[in-house]
Amino acid sequence: MAVPRFPPINVVALRKNCQPKPLAPRSSLNPHGEHLPMNWITDWIAEHGDLLNVLANVGMLVVWVTYLQVFLAGYQRQKKATILINLGSGKGLQAHCLVANMSAGPIYIHTLTAKLEGPAGTITCPVTEPDDADQWQEPSELDLWTRQGPLESGKVRDMGTMRAMFDHVRAECASARHAVQVVTYAREIELQVVAVYGSEDIMVAASRRFLIVQAQNGLELQPLTLTAEQIRSKRARRRMVEMLEVQQTNYPRV
């Protein structure tokens, strides 16, 4: 029996046929719905590189400008003094005047001024230093017999009762014409606190007005504003300092 003879094997051709064929590039859809190879993204980035660089720089600039605004806002808040004026222990003349320092740093209370307004006129008088007629029935929380002095941030100082301030003004203005009538028939009182703040070269101040009304249990004080008005403009503060200089040399003012 004859043995079948096979043709010789071409090893080179077999190796070529056994090599894996390269995969077709993955495709994606462009905005027009056509299939494009994935490398179109890198081509587009390379083509619009300058535009992308400009957009990245603009975005970085916006971030830095926003950060700078936040930093400046915080810095401005630290520079501004905030003084609050409230009433405690009731609403009548026995209520205590409370001054709070909500600034970032301590303040020094320099002057406390009371301004009375009514049908008989207006009178302004500093009530910083109590006199013989201005004695607190009970010692304040700080046990101080003066209304001036340093006040730390977040602290409150008791300035005494409103009746004591009325008596102070009446005693100081006893020699002034119509002063007693102004105090007796006053319809509004404005309290102004003038202080020294470390970061300001001009004195800072805050004021609050109260309406004097007749109630069943006597006179009551009703605030005309939700909180104290902060006097921050330099022109108003300079005018305030000039008025204080006049009051210290010649007061009361009617």
Side-chain angles (χ1 to χ4, degrees):
M1 181 176 181
V3 180
R5 300 182 63 182
F6 298 95
I9 299 175
N10 191 344
V11 179
V12 177
L14 183 60
R15 289 180 178 177
K16 290 183 179 180
N17 294 332
C18 293
Q19 289 181 355
K21 296 181 179 180
L23 298 177
R26 300 176 62 183
S27 62
S28 180
L29 296 177
N30 63 3
H32 302 286
E34 299 175 351
H35 288 275
L36 293 177
M38 286 299 294
N39 58 1
W40 74 273
I41 299 178
T42 57
D43 295 340
W44 185 88
I45 294 176
E47 182 179 357
H48 301 83
D50 295 338
L51 177 60
L52 294 177
N53 190 21
V54 172
L55 294 177
N57 292 334
V58 171
M60 185 65 66
L61 179 61
V62 171
V63 171
W64 279 107
V65 169
T66 304
Y67 177 79
L68 180 61
Q69 289 181 348
V70 173
F71 175 78
L72 291 178
Y75 178 72
Q76 291 295 333
R77 283 194 299 269
Q78 291 182 356
K79 287 189 61 178
K80 293 180 180 179
T82 303
I83 304 173
L84 302 183
I85 303 173
N86 293 303
L87 296 180
S89 302
K91 299 181 179 179
L93 296 183
Q94 295 302 323
H96 285 247
C97 175
L98 305 178
V99 176
N101 177 24
M102 304 306 296
S103 310
I107 63 174
Y108 184 91
I109 299 177
H110 183 272
T111 305
L112 176 64
T113 303
K115 179 180 179 182
L116 298 175
E117 298 181 6
T122 302
I123 187 171
T124 303
C125 179
V127 292
T128 309
E129 296 297 337
D131 53 15
D132 295 338
D134 186 6
Q135 295 294 332
W136 302 343
Q137 296 181 359
E138 298 179 359
S140 68
E141 181 180 359
L142 299 178
D143 196 19
L144 294 175
W145 294 98
T146 179
R147 296 188 176 102
Q148 66 174 326
L151 184 59
E152 295 292 333
S153 175
K155 299 295 183 179
V156 180
R157 170 166 293 182
D158 186 355
M159 295 294 182
T161 64
M162 297 301 297
R163 183 181 298 277
M165 295 187 186
F166 274 86
D167 295 341
H168 190 142
V169 176
R170 185 180 288 109
E172 293 292 344
C173 304
S175 60
R177 187 181 64 175
H178 303 309
V180 178
Q181 289 81 358
V182 172
V183 177
T184 304
Y185 301 102
R187 294 294 177 264
E188 291 184 10
I189 180 172
E190 179 182 359
L191 298 177
Q192 184 181 78
V193 177
V194 182
V196 179
Y197 190 50
S199 62
E200 295 285 350
D201 54 351
I202 307 176
M203 288 185 176
V204 298
S207 63
R208 194 174 187 185
R209 301 176 66 89
F210 298 89
L211 184 65
I212 305 173
V213 296
Q214 183 67 42
Q216 295 181 355
N217 299 328
L219 297 179
E220 289 188 358
L221 302 176
Q222 298 179 357
L224 296 178
T225 56
L226 182 62
T227 183
E229 178 186 0
Q230 307 299 318
I231 304 175
R232 289 183 172 140
S233 67
K234 291 187 177 182
R235 177 179 298 180
R237 287 155 58 190
R238 289 193 181 97
R239 185 168 60 250
M240 173 196 65
V241 172
E242 294 176 357
M243 294 178 61
L244 286 178
E245 293 175 351
V246 174
Q247 292 175 3
Q248 290 180 356
T249 56
N250 184 20
Y251 72 88
R253 297 182 59 195
V254 182

